[in-house]
Amino acid sequence: MAHAHGKILLFGEHAVVHGAPAIAAGLGAGVDASVVNGAPGTLTAPAWQLEATAGDGSRVGTAYAALLAELGIEADAAVHLDAAIPAGAGLGSSAAMAVAVARAWLEHLGRDEDEDAVYRAAMASERIFHGNPSGLDHAAAMQGGVVRFVRGEPPAMSSVFVGAPLHLVVAQVAPGADTGVLVGGVATRAERFPVVFGKLFGAFGALSDRAAEAIAAGEVVAVGALMDVNHGLLGAIGVSTPALDEACARARHAGALGAKLTGAGGGGCILALAEPETLDAVDAALQEGGATTLRATLEATP
Ligand code: PMV
């Protein structure tokens, strides 16, 4: 059985597509995949009510066919997925699925666990889902822990030391929007105002690097303040919504140290950081606002 992590995007989403560093975290919970006896090329994930076959014309089937082609594999068996993260909730389900499936096939065929091959296979799959993915989602799905990521061939990935635990509430405020459409919208605005957006992407990069320092130093209050800045920048590039802004305001009002939208925006989730004693109040306030919440703690590096 092969595992991949769910992910939370902490800093720098969108700007990462344009070359800025970003910070993501791989969660303990994720997706397990196994190659099993069954109709060749099928993929089932009961937790997501998902059944697809490579090349069946569905988005998952098309992505799976691209993944197999990248690995040079003719699927002669089925793949079963055990998913412990919800789909479409901003936790990187498509990236975790791709990484787990690629790892399961390499393991099944007795091929070496080749991280470059897994990365490229997941990229082929993510291209079908997202158009122009930076690779950040599946880097976090592969690595776990907190990771700094800069897009490239190959990308630059490094672990970020976590000086003190970060207690987070992830709140789904609205249905997730199409990441490809949101990324395309940012690209269009960046082409229209290249100097302005160049400076904004630079600000995102400075923010990610300062946030990595704060995370390493265990400066939780600073991490929260930088999350608020990140939310403002995401608003500036046009990917927030009134509902996401309102949820962030609600979390801050209930005592959160900071809050930001997480992922592509246009809907989907926010992330709120809180001290352990205010977590319940923040969580309750977000639920009162109509959001579905879950908790995640990023543990201190031992
Ligand atoms: O939609 P999500 O949560 O998978 O976020 C995608 C992250 C972006 O930075 C918006 C796009 C990318 O490819 O990095």
Side-chain angles (χ1 to χ4, degrees):
M1 186 154 62
H3 184 71
H5 306 272
K7 68 97 212 324
I8 294 179
L9 299 186
L10 298 174
F11 291 97
E13 55 270 82
H14 281 291
V16 70
V17 174
H18 301 270
I23 312 287
L27 300 173
V31 174
D32 290 311
S34 324
V35 177
V36 295
N37 285 331
T42 55
L43 196 62
T44 51
W48 297 336
Q49 283 101 42
L50 171 72
E51 268 188 55
T53 304
D56 65 4
S58 70
R59 197 125 90 137
V60 174
T62 307
Y64 185 30
L67 178 147
L68 290 167
E70 179 63 42
L71 289 173
I73 291 172
E74 289 264 354
D76 58 0
V79 168
H80 178 85
L81 294 164
D82 243 331
I85 51 169
L91 297 182
S93 52
S94 67
M97 173 174 80
V99 168
V101 169
R103 283 184 169 154
W105 272 112
L106 293 180
E107 189 181 290
H108 176 74
L109 296 172
R111 277 166 61 175
D112 287 341
E113 163 84 51
D114 173 350
E115 292 295 278
D116 288 346
V118 171
Y119 183 86
R120 284 197 309 272
M123 183 62 112
S125 175
E126 286 286 275
R127 267 196 201 105
I128 306 297
F129 284 105
H130 298 325
N132 175 24
S134 64
L136 173 66
D137 280 9
H138 56 281
M142 288 172 69
Q143 191 154 318
V146 177
V147 46
R148 178 185 186 273
F149 176 94
V150 184
R151 177 176 203 167
E153 302 273 345
M157 287 187 236
S158 54
S159 293
V160 175
F161 186 88
V162 182
L166 299 174
H167 302 285
L168 300 165
V169 183
V170 184
Q172 180 154 15
V173 171
D178 188 317
T179 298
V181 171
L182 270 298
V183 168
V186 173
T188 304
R189 290 188 285 281
E191 272 164 34
R192 185 160 175 219
F193 304 117
V195 176
V196 174
F197 273 67
K199 289 195 190 300
L200 285 170
F201 296 143
F204 274 101
L207 178 75
S208 289
D209 284 337
R210 182 63 186 87
E213 282 172 23
I215 292 168
E219 292 170 2
V220 181
V221 173
V223 175
L226 292 166
M227 285 170 64
D228 289 345
V229 176
N230 198 160
H231 185 74
L233 286 176
L234 287 163
I237 63 168
V239 297
S240 193
T241 65
L244 292 168
D245 294 344
E246 204 269 331
C248 288
R250 197 174 257 280
R252 292 176 197 128
H253 186 71
L257 298 171
K260 65 182 278 287
L261 76 86
T262 180
C269 297
I270 69 144
L271 198 60
L273 176 71
E275 301 282 14
E277 45 291 356
T278 37
L279 262 184
D280 283 343
V282 170
D283 195 337
L286 287 165
Q287 287 187 40
E288 270 164 35
T292 315
T293 62
L294 56 94
R295 307 266 184 104
T297 297
L298 307 180
E299 298 294 349
T301 309

